[in-house]
Amino acid sequence: MPELVFPLDSQKKFTEQRIVGHNRWHPDIPALVQVKPGDSFRVHCREWFDGAIHNDDSADDILNAPLAGVHVLSGPIAVQGAEPGDLLIVDILDVGPIPQEDSGPLAGQGWGYTGVFATSNGGGFLTEQFPDAYKVIWDFQGGVATSRHVPNVAFTGIVHPGLMGTAPSAALLAKWNAREGALIATDPNRVPPLALPPLPDSAILGNLTGDEFNRVAGEAARTAPPRENGGNQDIKNLTKGSRIFYPVFVDDAKLSMGDLHFSQGDGEITFCGAIEMGGFMDLHVDLIKGGMETYGVSENAVFMPGRTDPQYSEWLAFSGTSVTLDGEQRYLDSHLSYQRACLHAIDYLQKFGYSAIQAYMILGAAPIEGRLSGVVDIPNSCSTVYLPTEIFDFNVRPSKDGPHQIDPGMGVPRSAG
């Protein structure tokens, strides 16, 4: 096993650990761990809500999820010799649930969860159709996920970090805050909000204290969106065997990671749409000096996906176009066309006995594939959702015999709040 450089004790909260990570982006958050180019090492990662979500049949914890405190990230990790303009090479050697802990109260101890946030608490991709809070618990066994809340489905997970990236420079951070603040100003009272401004409340900033903590907390960017440094990209194929080339914006790069997922469909469409868990990552790092200029990677990481995806070979695909549910034509709106493709898949799965929310949860957690299939044929963008048929224990394809009817079981817990 590679050297463990960022340990986490499952019996302690994130802020009580020997090495405390962070949940904001800022160049002045100290790196409490150092590695060298060429090193391999292990990092423990906590589930993004730090244990606030429980293995039960209530969704009240999702309704009241402490979004101001996410994501709890392991890092920053200093890579000696990294300078602005370099490319940081990160190889994912291995990634998985919490090691040697197959049962317990923390997501990653033999189980994980998928959630739909209420619209008032962030919503999701289909928040107009699903405005309430829901939760599904998934059990892990032999790399396969099953759920008491979504019966007749089992699939192999593509374990991956939802979030990994380097620290922004002060100039890049200021750019983020300015452009996102301008967006918020266009509709400051929107629910859910257009973006998340800096928020000192619930900020975790490593070992910073006092006036320096207050200054950084007032400037630091939230970790919810992906940005030029990588961040919360939620790419399901960024898994074991992947090699990522991250732009370096500050000395020592300051690499951080977390938000591990046991599995996820393309788009993480329920927002908390992956199977969330804590776990570990084994990484190897190296540098390409001056690589940002050499390869034209001035922003946003380039990566080579791993080769450990489950080998599903048969799919049922659903398409959607950029026309709203009430018939309004939109111009090449790929976001809308992907929504419509997802809604078509949800309508279809309901014919087999699933509820709409069960079908939505399948699309968020199972390894579906989402594609932009046409973006040039005005006025309609076309998006497609590919559903692997082998994840069901019945024939989900259309046939002359009609849809097989499943017992939907206890269903998906919905918050009564």
Side-chain angles (χ1 to χ4, degrees):
M1 183 183 89
E3 178 187 2
L4 176 60
V5 300
F6 201 103
L8 291 173
D9 183 341
S10 296
Q11 304 302 312
K12 297 179 179 179
K13 299 292 290 182
F14 191 71
T15 53
E16 299 169 352
Q17 302 292 328
R18 179 170 63 84
I19 302 174
V20 177
H22 63 108
N23 64 358
R24 302 287 193 270
W25 292 116
H26 196 287
D28 296 336
I29 299 173
L32 303 180
V33 173
Q34 288 197 346
V35 297
K36 301 186 300 295
D39 281 355
S40 298
F41 53 92
R42 174 166 288 194
V43 174
H44 288 166
C45 298
R46 185 59 59 91
E47 171 267 321
W48 73 313
F49 278 123
D50 192 26
I53 310 302
H54 309 123
N55 186 352
D56 59 24
D57 300 323
S58 168
D60 288 349
D61 49 6
I62 293 290
L63 177 68
N64 301 308
L67 276 169
V70 299
H71 302 79
V72 285
L73 301 180
S74 299
I77 296 172
V79 181
Q80 295 178 22
E83 300 173 298
D86 295 343
L87 284 178
L88 176 64
I89 305 173
V90 180
D91 290 307
I92 301 178
L93 306 178
D94 201 359
V95 56
I98 300 174
Q100 289 81 50
E101 296 184 21
D102 57 5
S103 64
L106 293 178
Q109 295 176 317
W111 64 280
Y113 65 89
T114 300
V116 172
F117 293 124
T119 299
S120 59
N121 202 23
F125 188 56
L126 302 177
T127 195
E128 292 183 2
Q129 288 77 33
F130 300 93
D132 300 318
Y134 298 88
K135 182 177 72 180
V136 164
I137 300 297
W138 301 91
D139 294 307
F140 310 151
Q141 188 171 26
V144 174
T146 58
S147 175
R148 61 185 181 268
H149 298 136
V150 185
N152 301 92
V153 172
F155 49 85
T156 301
I158 308 177
V159 183
H160 62 280
L163 195 159
M164 186 157 57
T166 53
S169 65
L172 183 57
L173 175 62
K175 181 187 294 186
W176 293 350
N177 286 337
R179 74 189 185 201
E180 292 172 25
L183 177 61
I184 293 169
T186 65
D187 190 357
N189 298 315
R190 185 179 185 271
V191 178
L194 290 169
L196 301 173
L199 179 68
D201 177 47
S202 301
I204 303 171
L205 305 173
N207 65 353
L208 288 183
T209 59
D211 291 343
E212 186 68 353
F213 179 96
N214 293 333
R215 177 186 68 83
V216 170
E219 300 170 352
R222 309 279 285 279
T223 57
R227 297 187 181 91
E228 290 90 331
N229 67 326
N232 194 29
Q233 294 183 292
D234 292 314
I235 301 170
K236 79 175 194 296
N237 303 103
L238 200 70
T239 186
K240 181 178 178 178
S242 294
R243 169 169 285 187
I244 311 102
F245 303 86
Y246 285 108
V248 174
F249 301 104
V250 300
D251 288 340
D252 294 332
K254 293 188 172 179
L255 176 70
S256 300
M257 68 289 299
D259 187 30
L260 299 189
H261 299 160
F262 186 83
S263 179
Q264 180 201 295
D266 279 339
E268 197 187 17
I269 60 175
T270 72
F271 184 7
C272 186
I275 301 180
E276 308 284 351
M277 68 172 196
F280 76 97
M281 295 186 70
D282 290 343
L283 303 172
H284 177 276
V285 295
D286 214 331
L287 293 172
I288 300 176
K289 301 300 293 182
M292 290 173 67
E293 174 65 25
T294 300
Y295 288 101
V297 183
S298 60
E299 58 184 41
N300 301 110
V302 177
F303 77 100
M304 300 161 59
R307 300 179 179 178
T308 58
D309 294 359
Q311 299 303 303
Y312 294 115
S313 59
E314 297 185 5
W315 308 78
L316 190 62
F318 302 85
S319 60
T321 57
S322 49
V323 179
T324 68
L325 286 171
D326 58 7
E328 178 188 349
Q329 179 71 63
R330 300 279 180 84
Y331 179 77
L332 295 181
D333 186 339
S334 297
H335 182 275
L336 174 59
S337 64
Y338 194 56
Q339 285 185 327
R340 294 303 304 273
C342 291
L343 289 170
H344 291 154
I346 290 169
D347 289 344
Y348 181 86
L349 289 173
Q350 287 182 82
K351 297 299 184 181
F352 293 81
Y354 288 114
S355 68
I357 186 62
Q358 285 177 317
Y360 188 21
M361 289 294 197
I362 291 170
L363 298 185
I368 67 166
E369 293 191 0
R371 303 180 187 178
L372 295 181
S373 299
V375 294
V376 296
D377 296 315
I378 61 172
N380 268 329
S381 167
C382 178
S383 296
T384 45
V385 168
Y386 287 66
L387 182 66
T389 58
E390 295 137 295
I391 71 173
F392 300 95
D393 66 5
F394 59 92
N395 184 9
V396 75
R397 305 171 188 83
S399 73
K400 293 181 179 180
D401 297 328
H404 171 84
Q405 294 301 300
I406 60 102
D407 178 355
M410 66 183 297
V412 173
R414 172 181 175 270
S415 174

